């Protein structure tokens, strides 16, 4: 049981993929610019990051996916 707690704590503190919003800027009523950072544990695998924009009612109003090829 103790080993599971150690494993669980490590994996929670060090996920395979971690994202961080660096900044955002409202361009106009229809556009926003964002800068974000993605950190991955295994650089030898392809990863993808999907950013979803939601309105005040939590409806999806925009979405973009970026592919992060292995080694980047």
């Amino acid at each position: 049981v103790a080993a599971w707690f150690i494993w669980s704590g490590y994996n929670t503190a060090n996920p395979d993929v971690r994202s961080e919003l660096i900044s955002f800027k409202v361009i106009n009523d229809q556009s926003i610019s964002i800068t974000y950072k993605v950190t991955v544990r295994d650089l030898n695998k392809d990863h993808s990051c999907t950013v979803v924009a939601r309105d005040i009612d939590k409806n999806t109003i925009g979405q973009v996916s970026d592919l992060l090829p292995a080694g980047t």
Side-chain angles (χ1 to χ4, degrees), residues 10-44:
Y10 175 79
N11 282 309
T12 300
N14 298 294
D16 289 338
V17 178
R18 181 179 299 191
S19 64
E20 177 182 355
L21 176 64
I22 304 297
S23 65
F24 68 92
K25 179 180 179 181
V26 176
I27 305 300
N28 56 43
D29 288 344
Q30 303 292 317
S31 302
I32 189 167
S33 173
I34 66 166
T35 302
Y36 63 95
K37 174 182 168 184
V38 176
T39 305
V40 297
R41 195 181 328 172
D42 186 353
L43 294 175
N44 296 317

Side-chain angles (χ1 to χ4, degrees), residues 6 8 11-12 24 27 29-30 42 45-46 50 61 65 67:
I6 293 169
S8 177
N11 282 309
T12 300
F24 68 92
I27 305 300
D29 288 344
Q30 303 292 317
D42 186 353
K45 296 187 332 188
D46 289 343
T50 301
I61 57 170
S65 294
L67 176 63

